[in-house]
Amino acid sequence: MLNRIWAGFFFVAFVAGLVRWLALGEPGVWAAIVASTFEMAKTGFEVSIGLTGVMCLWLGIMRLGEKGGAVELLARGFDPLLRRLFPGVPAGHPAGASIVMNLSANMLGLDNAATPLGLKAMRELQQLNPQPETASDDQILFLVVNASAVTVIPTAIMTYRAQLGAADPTDVFLPLLIATFCSTMVGILVTARVQKLPLGNPVTLAYLGGVTLVVGALVGYCLTLDKSALERQTSLLANLTIFSLIVGFLLLAAWRRVPFYETFVEGAKEGFTVAVGIIPYLVAMLVAVGVLRASGALDQALDAVRFVVGRVGLDGRWVDALPVALVRPLSGSGSRGLVIEIMKTLGPDSFAGRLACVIQGSTETTFYVLAVYFGSVGIKNTRHAIACGLTAELAGFLGAVAVSYLFFG
């Protein structure tokens, strides 16, 4: 799928360039397209190298949290809820522990730990599957929750914003939490509806209802503030929460007598590897998006959507971030390239730049997760997994747009 997206960008750019040259008499479009390839390649390299320090810092901190037991602490906290959401998993079965650990690692942004734990959980769920080539209800719900991107610490998003010069890289923290809540909650409710999964027991209601009340109270409080007060309160709460988590990780590590320096360096080394490793992918996607924008095709498509939105009387600023929402279910690297290109072109503190970050962090690559997780156990009949996953993606996008207007107006 990513191959088609990447090649499609170049093909559309070529057609748009021909139209501007032959029909509109703009031969300079070819110089602009070629220049964009050099500019975007340079940008991709600079951004990736610039990410190195911040990625080393955050992955070092995350490794301290992981070794200190933050994942286990979250796992114990959410175990009662997950045991009821996955009724097909017998008490004490290894699949239950793997599900809890995977989702806890995802919440902390520990992709390095979350993916192998997720594959392990899927293999263990497959042992309980009476039809090996058809996805079970538990496997589908597990995939939908993974695809809805349950994220508490959006490390990568904040890192990109810091690298591209955002005044406050953490200002998307609370909007992203609310948007990812929307995608996850809708994913759970829709899947439970399809599977006729009872959600009325006291434990499930307490967890889901409690989180909903907290998010609702947060949104309600934000609605009472004017724009300047909202920015101050958001910055304070976001930065206080993030730094409190860092201190909490250190305290947990101290409690378990984890060697601070060695553990931090171990995680930081991985951060260096990650930052350098994304250079080819980021350059490839930024060049493809750059030629698409330089050819005029991207702007023309967005202008058409913006015209339709304007005709029905709606604000059209969100349209600039629409490409991220369209590519996100298909390709993580593709949507990441679009986010960086939007922030580079329109500014990290522009409405579209912030919205693109919220969209990127509030949903996951549904088709990629489905292919990897189901493919690892040989499942061919995915049943309602795609429909439920895309519904969660849509809820995350709508939530991201709504909350971005609330916070960034």
Side-chain angles (χ1 to χ4, degrees):
M1 184 62 72
L2 181 57
N3 291 329
R4 295 177 181 177
I5 293 174
W6 192 75
F9 282 178
F10 282 94
F11 178 74
V12 172
F14 180 72
V15 173
L18 285 177
V19 171
R20 291 181 61 181
W21 175 36
L22 299 176
L24 303 178
E26 299 180 16
V29 65
W30 300 114
I33 290 175
V34 173
S36 73
T37 63
F38 292 101
E39 177 64 25
M40 288 296 102
K42 178 183 176 183
T43 297
F45 179 79
E46 290 175 346
V47 169
S48 298
I49 292 300
L51 289 174
T52 305
V54 185
M55 289 295 287
C56 288
L57 169 65
W58 275 103
L59 288 187
I61 292 171
M62 289 298 156
R63 182 58 59 88
L64 280 171
E66 182 182 359
K67 296 292 186 182
V71 173
E72 290 89 341
L73 192 63
L74 272 174
R76 285 199 296 269
F78 284 92
D79 180 64
L81 170 64
L82 295 177
R83 280 193 283 111
R84 287 160 176 82
L85 290 179
F86 298 92
V89 179
H93 193 278
S98 296
I99 291 171
V100 173
M101 295 293 285
N102 164 260
L103 297 181
S104 299
N106 269 325
M107 292 176 69
L108 294 176
L110 298 170
D111 293 338
N112 58 314
T115 300
L117 285 169
L119 293 173
K120 184 173 183 288
M122 190 60 74
R123 287 194 297 270
E124 289 164 349
L125 287 171
Q126 184 71 349
Q127 296 173 5
L128 302 170
N129 188 359
Q131 302 178 59
E133 293 190 356
T134 300
S136 67
D137 285 352
D138 288 328
Q139 287 174 317
I140 291 173
L141 180 58
F142 177 62
L143 181 134
V144 170
V145 174
N146 263 273
S148 66
V150 188
T151 307
V152 174
I153 306 179
T155 305
I157 300 299
M158 294 188 297
T159 300
Y160 299 145
R161 291 185 55 73
Q163 171 60 16
L164 290 171
D168 182 3
T170 65
D171 59 5
V172 298
F173 177 72
L174 289 180
L176 198 151
L177 281 182
I178 296 172
T180 198
F181 161 80
C182 294
S183 62
T184 302
M185 185 63 70
V186 169
I188 291 174
L189 294 178
V190 169
T191 307
R193 173 77 175 178
V194 173
Q195 297 178 355
K196 297 181 172 56
L197 185 66
L199 299 179
N201 64 79
V203 174
T204 304
L205 286 177
Y207 272 90
L208 299 184
V211 174
T212 302
L213 286 175
V214 170
V215 173
L218 177 62
V219 172
Y221 174 69
C222 292
L223 288 172
T224 66
L225 303 175
D226 59 38
K227 190 175 187 301
S228 60
L230 180 59
E231 290 178 352
R232 291 195 303 270
Q233 294 292 330
T234 299
S235 178
L236 172 63
L237 185 55
N239 288 291
L240 179 61
T241 301
I242 292 170
F243 195 71
S244 297
L245 286 171
I246 294 173
V247 173
F249 288 173
L250 293 174
L251 291 175
L252 284 171
W255 177 264
R256 288 197 170 187
R257 298 184 180 180
V258 174
F260 289 98
Y261 184 77
E262 292 86 349
T263 304
F264 177 85
V265 170
E266 179 186 344
K269 287 180 179 178
E270 184 178 342
F272 178 82
T273 303
V274 170
V276 173
I278 68 173
I279 291 176
Y281 305 98
L282 193 55
V283 168
M285 287 310 304
L286 282 179
V287 168
V289 176
V291 299
L292 194 66
R293 188 179 289 276
S295 71
L298 181 59
D299 290 334
Q300 289 171 12
L302 294 180
D303 285 343
V305 176
R306 198 175 288 110
F307 173 78
V308 174
V309 170
R311 294 289 291 179
V312 298
L314 299 177
D315 184 278
R317 287 178 295 160
W318 60 270
V319 175
D320 287 312
L322 181 60
V324 178
L326 296 177
V327 173
R328 183 59 174 158
L330 305 170
S331 166
S333 59
S335 60
R336 179 172 59 230
L338 284 166
V339 169
I340 292 174
E341 195 273 340
I342 289 170
M343 286 196 288
K344 182 76 175 177
T345 303
L346 302 178
D349 292 327
S350 65
F351 180 83
R354 286 164 163 165
L355 173 57
C357 291
V358 177
I359 294 171
Q360 176 76 3
S362 62
T363 55
E364 190 50 87
T365 50
T366 295
F367 288 100
Y368 173 80
V369 172
L370 185 145
V372 171
Y373 278 31
F374 283 172
S376 68
V377 293
I379 287 177
K380 298 177 181 178
N381 182 5
T382 61
R383 300 172 63 207
H384 50 277
I386 294 177
C388 292
L390 292 180
T391 301
E393 292 262 6
L394 177 60
F397 168 67
L398 295 176
V401 172
V403 77
S404 293
Y405 274 103
L406 171 62
F407 280 83
F408 309 124

